[in-house]
Amino acid sequence: MIEVSWLLFVLASLVLIVTPGQDMILVMSRSIAQGAAAGVATAAGVSVGLVGHTLLATLGLGAVLRTSEWLFVALKLAGAAYLVYLGLQLLRTRDHDLRLAGGTPRSLWRLFLDGALSNVSNPKIAVFYFAFLPQFVLPGAAHPTLSVFVLGLLFAALTFVVKGPVGLAAGALSGWLRERPRALNWLYRGSGAVLVGLGVKLAFERRA
């Protein structure tokens, strides 16, 4: 039995995934440098990297979620604070420079590995998974570890669903953003406001 807040999780995940960041820039840069297939291969690698983070989060979080009320509350508050922090960072962002990587062409397999290793080796993503996934496990869930695992896999799948098409359309998208820097700024600000609101909402939710 998977007991999670599906709608809230999907909405929050999509907000995070569509916000341009390290992985998005990597996918776009590879696509522009070597073509759409390169971008899709990189996006697939990024998603597989997230599966690795899912396994780590599952192994570490299951026991914590079942231990005690105060640990659950502490984890929830830490996660909510982290979401607010991410939102404030986006709200404070002013100028963005999309740097497109060139260099020697790589094979699709190497591009896939680049995406996976870039993601797996990022400690911020490990911290993010630890803080983010448990927020959407329903209070009193019979199988919190399984729920965290499924949420992690879903986040990885949603990442590919978003970033794969970005790889296909990277040339047009990057050109559009370079011509409209204010649009990118507003994207960051809007995403930041959503994350701050979500963090505040989660902080005040009670465990049944």
Side-chain angles (χ1 to χ4, degrees), residues 22-23 45-54 56 113-126:
Q22 174 183 320
D23 291 337
V46 166
S47 298
V48 169
L50 289 172
V51 174
H53 283 294
T54 297
L56 293 175
L113 288 178
D114 285 347
L117 291 175
S118 172
N119 190 279
V120 169
S121 62
N122 189 344
K124 292 182 180 179
I125 297 178

Side-chain angles (χ1 to χ4, degrees), residues 11 27 34 44 68-69 74 92 106 119 162-163 166 179 199:
L11 290 176
V27 170
Q34 293 186 221
S68 68
E69 176 71 18
R92 293 175 58 189
R106 296 171 178 258
N119 190 279
V162 172
K163 288 183 168 60
V166 167
E179 293 173 2

Side-chain angles (χ1 to χ4, degrees), residues 30 33-35 38 101-108 110-111 114:
R30 295 306 188 195
Q34 293 186 221
T104 304
R106 296 171 178 258
S107 67
L108 293 181
R110 181 59 186 274
L111 290 166
D114 285 347

Side-chain angles (χ1 to χ4, degrees), residues 4-23:
V4 300
S5 301
W6 293 109
L7 181 59
L8 186 60
F9 175 76
V10 171
L11 290 176
S13 297
L14 288 175
V15 168
L16 290 167
I17 293 168
V18 301
T19 301
Q22 174 183 320
D23 291 337

Side-chain angles (χ1 to χ4, degrees), residues 6 10-11 14 38-39 43 55 64 75 77 95 128 146 149 152 164 179 195:
W6 293 109
V10 171
L11 290 176
L14 288 175
L55 294 174
V64 173
L75 182 60
L77 291 177
D95 300 316
F128 165 74
L146 180 59
F149 181 71
E179 293 173 2
L195 289 180

